[in-house]
Amino acid sequence: MASIGKIALSLASGTQEATLALANINFDFSMVKLTAPTEYQGLGASLSHKRKRQAEDGSTHITARKLGALFADDLPSTPNLARAYGLRVSEIAENPKLNPHGGKSDGALADLVGADGTSIWAAATSGKGAMAVHLLACMLARIWPGPEATAIWSELVVSRKGVLQRRLQESEFPITTVAAAQIEVPRDNLAEWDASARSWLRTADTAKRRQQTQLMLIIDNIQSVMPAKNGIYDSVMEAWKNAMSVVDKLISGIAQDVQSTETLLGISAWHLYPDMFVLGRESTHVKQNDELIKPGGLMTVGSHHTYTNENCGLSWSMPLAQLLYYGKPVVSTRSVDSKSLRVPFDRLLSVALGSLMNRWGLSSSEPERIATFLVFLWDCLDSDGQHKVPWINSLAQCAKSFLVSSGNERSEQSRYIALGRRRYGSFLAPGVPPPGKATCSPPFFGLTDLDAFLKLLEPEERIAKLRDIAKTSDFGVDITKAFIRYTPKSPKKDVTNLDSQQNSEETLIYEYATLFPHPTSDGHGSLHRRWIEVQMIPDHKNARSSVDSLELYINRAIDRSIELIRCTGEACGYLNSHAVEQSNHRPDWEMGCDVLSWMEHPYLLDAAGLGALAKIRYAQSTHRAAEQRLLEIKLNLGAFKHSFDGRYYSSFLGNSEAQIYQPVEMWKTVNYSINPEEVIENLVSKKIQAAALKDHIYNLSTQQQELSCSLNCLYLASRLYSSLSGSEIDLSVLSIPLWTSLWAMDIVSADTDWTITHSFACIAMFETGVFNMYSGDFDEVVAISAGNTLYVSEVLLCDPSARPSPHRIRALVGNIGKPGLALLLLPKNPIRREPDLETWQMVNHAEFDGIFQDNFRGTSLHLSLTGYEQALKIGQHGGRDKQIYYLEAVVAALHNGSWVADLDIWNTNRKLDNFLKKNIQHLPSLCSHSDAEQADFSYLAKLTSIDNWYEFLDRPQNAMIVRAKGNWTARLAFATATANMQQPLVVGSEKICWACAKHLILLLGLDPCKQTFLC
């Protein structure tokens, strides 16, 4: 051991002899705790008790002290930066929305609620160099993912110790160099140090969203690379020191002409916003009006690009030797731009909207059109409340938000739509158009396709549309001799006295209409006209039946013609059903379309002849004679000219519901698309049939499964995030094609019910933008800790009488202080305190006096870690750091600070579901029983009051009532403990109606003497 004398001699300057004497001294960095500067006191007062204790006495404090001691001697003095940063973090921490205090409503997680300012407070109370080291942590966390930032920290520590060791070889050195050269910082502590800074960045980004977004937009337009040096240590040290020095001067009011990138990285990580003068084609003065920057602190930034590719923003590339256990250094390049900011989920929907525009081949000027289309599309689909394709809703809501937005909000949404259209056309489905197609998917869900569009219209609207197309379009061929064949609204059923097989068949009856008005015979005008097929049935053994059937058909035709004339004002005649037939005997007309022959004169009936025809009866004649009689009647026929007879016609335009037929000698191939504006107009005017539209969208989704799967994923995730107030997502998720989402596959493909495992898997993907996992990986997960958010199952946060849905999740501000994505599990076999001699005197087991009260105000729930961790296998093996892992935690019930039981709340509500349905019963909160009936529990031979935990654990042999009225945490603890003990339970609300309880016991055949009642 070195002598005190030699240590004293070396306090001023070190020597080689002093180094040997000091080599065996251990420096305890946890012993020193300094008073934080005044500017940081607001932060300290706002931190939770647990985080403050960790910052002052825990591993985070030790890490801050060690890292500060390692680097302090080579860091510039930046008092202005330290002061301004303290004021900024205190300002943010004092905002209760951003930094709420855990309370009773947070149950076992109350100690974990609140913004994570642990590393800041640890640095503020750790002396020289520590706060600068925290600022570096923020810089690295801004641009590097957790494992890569930890690898950089690990290499910095090793390299720094090497620098200090070399200094010890010099003739003189500060005594602090000797201490620092011996420092060891465990990698786990470095990871937690990074995680705390990373969590703080999320909180501060939210607090300063406007300024941060403005800064990132500037960074987007810069495209610059961080300068490369000889290794990580030199690169980081130079960037760190330069950024602190420049920002310190800006804060003091000294203008700076910034040519390097690190300053922008620094201010983005420290949330200090000087006014900026951005040089470029059009120089811009950006005023941030940050009161912490003194007047004159103007930052001039050149917008010249140091490299050109599709990426934008600030880029930093480094070889990471400490990232993997084995192998060459991994060269990693990361960037900072507006996409690196976390965003609300609705921004992802805007990107998806742009991606859809890309797939549909729409230009950047059309977001209003597609938004309008989606809004009215959903209005039509939602008209009857039957949601066959609910995934349209999330896009429609995003579209509606865009249409009603204005100003900065409109600009912001437009940026994300443009991002999706420009870069992420493959986000929703594969991005290569099919052979022969100009777009990846039919635009506007295929509704601009004429065939699809016609199917959505009523028959008369179809005819009107085809006539309008013929009138307004130039197909380069004469179509004046064409006609329309269409189906009426409902196919006619063949209801006759024929055999059962014929009775069951449905006969499709066609009708015909002119495409253009035809001239009258007197040459005084032109009018449209119609023809109705009259079904002619073949000879049958029962001639009389055939005659009756023919009469039925004719009467139907007459009724239909009257309807058409009345509704359309067009003359209507009749056709023998064999007059216009499918033709297949002309092989030289192989045009890939239907060919019809119109070979009989289409006798026309005008309105004057209808009454006479209606009087004809065919009861005494054969059906063939009746047919002839019908065709030979002369009732004002020939009033109009036509030239359809004796020709062959080919399908030209339309579909089976309504189709134009053109003489084959004038036929040509044509393509026609409906204008999107017309689709929207028809949606607005409700001319489109909702049922047909649903069928169309649904059928399209079965044909385009990737797109359908992606839009379903968006819909499901949107519903989830709408209930997670304040939660944001990582836009890196855009690198995962949505249709490959593993968590959604069983829901979309197998129609599986949504469960909490799907919710957690969905959160894992959108939270990180990296982890695409199966829902089964989350079977036993009760909560997720990620960044500055705790995603917790509601069963941990609700009174047992509330019976929360097992798939509901609540988002809390806070974390467990661990890096990466921590998946919390609860032990399956919790332990509890056993009755002992020390507590027997506290067990009274008094008889219930009929009073409902709370005797468990001292009961509280607390979550703590057991130490068990298990990493999940994801991606590449060999990494040094866990990115996603199971973490075992236990929920303990304490009464007046003393432990009484651990609780398996999660598995009680899920794995013991069958037991719960049978053994845990819930009483209604309201009933119609009288006060006397409600108060009568005499049917219970004996009812014991449970007024403390020891009376509960040392259970009586008869029925008992736990009196914890209105205390949801105590009630949850008792309900869970009872279930863990496999005991029956009856749960009441504010009070118990004993008449309802009696009815329940009798109904279910329960033993009243073994029941536990909870009020």
Side-chain angles (χ1 to χ4, degrees), residues 134 179 217 456 472 475 537 887:
H134 165 76
L217 290 176
L456 307 180
T472 58
F475 294 111
I537 44 182
L887 195 62

Side-chain angles (χ1 to χ4, degrees), residues 720-798:
L720 172 62
Y721 272 87
S722 66
S723 66
L724 301 177
S725 178
S727 294
E728 297 180 328
I729 65 169
D730 192 323
L731 276 182
S732 299
V733 77
L734 291 168
S735 64
I736 302 177
L738 267 188
W739 75 91
T740 66
S741 301
L742 300 178
W743 55 269
M745 284 186 174
D746 55 346
I747 296 179
V748 175
S749 60
D751 198 24
T752 305
D753 289 338
W754 181 272
T755 68
I756 196 167
T757 61
H758 296 101
S759 295
F760 279 138
C762 174
I763 287 170
M765 188 175 90
F766 286 101
E767 171 70 27
T768 64
V770 175
F771 301 131
N772 186 11
M773 304 175 68
Y774 289 103
S775 59
D777 294 324
F778 298 82
D779 271 347
E780 298 179 4
V781 175
V782 66
I784 292 178
S785 175
N788 66 337
T789 307
L790 288 163
Y791 299 97
V792 188
S793 166
E794 278 200 348
V795 299
L796 269 68
L797 303 170
C798 287

